[in-house]
Amino acid sequence: MQEYIIKVTITKIPVFVKSGTILPLAKPTLHTEDPESWQLTAFVYGVNSQPAVLYEDDGSLTPELNEVKLLWDNKKLKGNLVRNEKYVGPKYSVIEWKYVR
């Protein structure tokens, strides 16, 4: 077991992310109809990243859920978003990939 002492200020909260994680984040918006709520920045932590899985839906009471995978190629240091192209609702896009070692 390891122990860490992390000094933080009252205005910053530490967040610990496991190596191998792809963490997709969007800007805060007031509602999902705002196009910026579907634009992601994908943070990739460490090596051997596992896919991150998101679901797109059209907002209806019985939505068709479309699986979206975020994949990271560690050799090329490049990310890729994979989805079923038949889906017609709002779609995620990755506007930036940030690799964090």
Side-chain angles (χ1 to χ4, degrees):
M1 184 169 127
Q2 268 184 308
E3 182 177 313
Y4 296 93
I5 297 174
I6 309 295
K7 294 182 182 186
V8 297
T9 66
I10 197 161
T11 59
K12 294 190 178 185
I13 299 172
V15 176
F16 300 93
V17 181
K18 183 179 177 181
S19 181
T21 298
I22 298 174
L23 180 62
L25 298 176
K27 291 181 183 177
T29 59
L30 295 178
H31 51 80
T32 56
E33 290 179 9
D34 185 332
E36 285 193 346
S37 66
W38 295 89
Q39 297 173 353
L40 306 172
T41 298
F43 292 86
V44 180
Y45 293 89
V47 295
N48 300 323
S49 297
Q50 298 300 305
V53 179
L54 303 171
Y55 293 91
E56 298 167 325
D57 74 74
D58 60 9
S60 68
L61 291 176
T62 55
E64 172 191 337
L65 295 179
N66 186 52
E67 186 175 277
V68 177
K69 288 186 182 181
L70 302 179
L71 308 168
W72 180 254
D73 185 330
N74 217 41
K75 291 179 183 174
K76 296 179 182 177
L77 298 178
K78 184 177 179 187
N80 190 24
L81 182 147
V82 178
R83 76 161 46 84
N84 177 353
E85 288 300 326
K86 295 178 192 172
Y87 179 71
V88 294
K91 294 184 178 182
Y92 286 113
S93 63
V94 177
I95 57 173
E96 185 176 11
W97 290 87
K98 291 189 175 185
Y99 181 58
V100 182
R101 292 181 187 221

